[in-house]
């Protein structure tokens, strides 16, 4: 499987300095592990930062990307530790007809303030 994504080359560390990826107390020559998730319009949706000696969790980055895509496609929100296949949170003011039309599934009111739907039906 091939995964294509844009990357950067920064031999003089100019971009690293501009993005706050150098921490003098850690190292003046090695960058910390920082990830940015941008949408097609180049708006930042997430920044995560790990110390120099801790690797990033790619599964977490992919989880966040999928949650952001779900939000962009449907307006639904995702709870902590959400993964594709789990229910998503929807606004109380959406009509049930609208939910069924968009998700092809009925919503469930779990609490007076918490309404969910299965987004995998779409």
């Amino acid at each position: 499987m091939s995964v294509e994504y844009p990357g950067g080359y920064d031999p003089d560390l100019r971009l690293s300095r501009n993005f706050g990826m150098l921490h003098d107390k850690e190292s003046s020559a090695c960058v910390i592990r920082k990830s940015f998730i941008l949408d097609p319009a180049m708006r930042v949706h997430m920044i995560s930062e790990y110390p120099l000696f801790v690797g990033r969790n790619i599964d977490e980055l992919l989880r966040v990307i999928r949650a952001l895509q779900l939000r962009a496609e449907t307006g639904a929100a995702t709870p902590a530790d959400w993964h594709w296949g789990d229910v998503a949170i929807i606004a109380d003011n959406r009509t049930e007809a609208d939910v069924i039309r968009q998700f092809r599934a009925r919503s469930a009111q779990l609490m007076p303030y918490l309404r969910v739907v299965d987004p995998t039906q779409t």
Side-chain angles (χ1 to χ4, degrees):
M1 178 170 112
S2 173
V3 177
E4 295 183 23
Y5 58 92
Y9 180 62
D10 187 24
D12 61 1
L13 301 177
R14 195 171 83 218
L15 287 175
S16 299
R17 282 186 185 82
N18 287 341
F19 285 113
M21 298 172 71
L22 284 171
H23 290 258
D24 291 332
K25 292 182 180 177
E26 291 291 327
S27 171
S28 60
C30 295
V31 297
I32 61 167
R33 286 158 174 82
K34 204 165 199 174
S35 298
F36 301 87
I37 298 177
L38 292 85
D39 68 13
M42 301 305 288
R43 289 182 300 244
V44 175
H45 285 268
M46 189 202 80
I47 300 171
S48 67
E49 186 173 294
Y50 289 82
L52 177 64
F53 48 84
V54 177
R56 286 172 284 206
N57 183 332
I58 299 305
D59 290 332
E60 174 62 5
L61 291 174
L62 293 173
R63 184 189 79 81
V64 170
I65 289 169
R66 187 61 191 119
L68 290 169
Q69 290 170 334
L70 178 68
R71 175 66 179 190
E73 294 164 6
T74 68
T78 54
D81 300 323
W82 175 88
H83 289 275
W84 184 249
D86 295 345
V87 295
I89 301 168
I90 56 173
D92 286 335
N93 64 354
R94 290 181 77 169
T95 67
E96 190 64 15
D98 179 48
V99 171
I100 291 169
R101 185 172 36 262
Q102 183 167 33
F103 293 96
R104 296 189 187 102
R106 296 185 81 67
S107 69
Q109 191 82 37
L110 300 183
M111 303 287 244
Y113 55 85
L114 183 60
R115 185 173 170 209
V116 298
V117 68
D118 179 356
T120 62
Q121 304 300 312
T122 58

